[in-house]
Amino acid sequence: MSQLRLLPSRLGAQATRLLAAHDVSVFGWRSRSSGPPAIFPSSKGGGGSSYMEEMYFAWLENPQSVHKVGTHTLPWATAREGSPGAGCGGASWDSFFRKASEEASYGSAQPQPTSVTRESRSAVSSRTKTSKLVEDHLAVQSLIRAYQIRGHHVAQLDPLGILDADLDSFVPSDLITTIDKLAFYDLQETDLDKEFQLPTTTFIGGSENTLSLREIIRRLENTYCQHIGLEFMFINDVEQCQWIRQKFETPGVMQFSSEEKRTLLARLVRSMRFEDFLARKWSSEKRFGLEGCEVMIPALKTIIDKSSEMGIENVILGMPHRGRLNVLANVIRKDLEQIFCQFDPKLEAADEGSGDVKYHLGMYHERINRVTNRNITLSLVANPSHLEAVDPVVQGKTKAEQFYRGDAQGKKVMSILVHGDAAFAGQGVVYETFHLSDLPSYTTNGTVHIVVNNQIGFTTDPRMARSSPYPTDVARVVNAPIFHVNADDPEAVMYVCSVAAEWRNTFNKDVVVDLVGLGTEAKA
């Protein structure tokens, strides 16, 4: 094939002699504005040479398709009167190229034009198929990345299914929620059963390197569009992004043993029964209950268990009013007698535990963690009426504990902050506290933030309360991953909290767990 491609350049040396043998005079075709005629065989005669090449390649396709030498169809050549090329039936380009090819090939066998054509068509077809294959694989990679970035927008986060946690019902066009959206990636329904190579930026394949497009979409839907919504692709550290992908994309990661399920159920029952008892016994008293998000108690205990397993010995908590009594009873393990007696209006100021309202008080307690059988010290910092004011106090207390323990890396002492959704988005002290998180003199080496999100805030529709899609968007400024989770799926909450604790103790960075639930809001 390469010899044939070089043939037009060799024909120039033969052209004059062969045309003379045909008794054909060659004249340069002159345009109205051109200079002297360009002689066809000359290397400088670009016009004639290009035309000859066109004729040659046309001849390779079909020997009968080329023009006749000496006819009126060739504006640059005229035949001498009486020559074989005169008139319309002169010698053909076919004959000319055959003779020229024989001389230019130096005795080598001349391939037939038809075989060259088949080879050319086969090569073109092969290139087309390869190009389509590459484009389809790139499309699948873009599809996977789209779910990683925007899958949380369509995740089923609202327990009632009537609200959108991101305040927007718009479905991103690059998510395959219906078959017709395959066209966004130039894919068709027939491509659903084709196998595609998985990129290194996903773990949905597990031990498999290839999956069908149908299975790829199914696994992406299960990971990013169910009861967990993940925001992490804005993080500018590849290792951290890969870590999160592996934790959530790997098939079968959310499998719990029977013992773990029983523990989760027991904690959930204790949380709910405590709220039920207070509601029946003191229905008219301020309780700032946890109704609608009772899963917060198992969530906190899961974080503490996982942190204890990774070496943490002291956990310092800060939280608003909502759920404080439940946390004191079921997490810190304050005596129930002390909590209940504070509901008695006859309690005198001189009695133990007085001096402030019961839902402002804190607690310090050291006990054995039953999951790890290790000592754990739990502190709940007292909180005034001003919501989120406790955040820098908790960070300061944690920093002091780390300093006096010589815990410069935060491997022994950590902090947990509980927030309301409206306060988290609206209080400036939250933003200020986040910006202390990585300062060398102030860092506590990562905090786990839990947002108890009832989608109501201070009795205000969030559409009228904030401009950002989520109440947690303030955490993006420090590259903290944000895990949204449906509070009516306890197993999903348990897994997310376990990953959050592991993240904090692995990378010593802040992390946010957004518990999307229902219920009343505790106001100061």
Side-chain angles (χ1 to χ4, degrees), residues 313-332:
E313 299 174 355
N314 193 335
V315 178
I316 301 170
L317 291 90
M319 65 179 299
H321 302 65
R322 186 183 182 198
R324 174 176 287 261
L325 296 180
N326 207 323
V327 170
L328 285 170
N330 291 313
V331 177
I332 309 297

Side-chain angles (χ1 to χ4, degrees), residues 17 64 72 133 152 158 168 178 183 253 309 328 362 453 476 521:
R17 182 168 65 256
Q64 302 302 319
H72 63 279
L133 186 63
H152 59 88
D158 179 33
D168 194 351
T178 55
V253 288
E309 181 184 315
L328 285 170
N453 183 359
R476 296 166 67 105
E521 175 62 43

Side-chain angles (χ1 to χ4, degrees), residues 36-57:
I39 303 304
F40 169 78
S42 170
S43 61
K44 296 181 181 180
S49 178
S50 297
Y51 186 83
M52 181 186 70
E53 291 181 11
E54 291 176 10
M55 288 296 99
Y56 175 69
F57 288 119

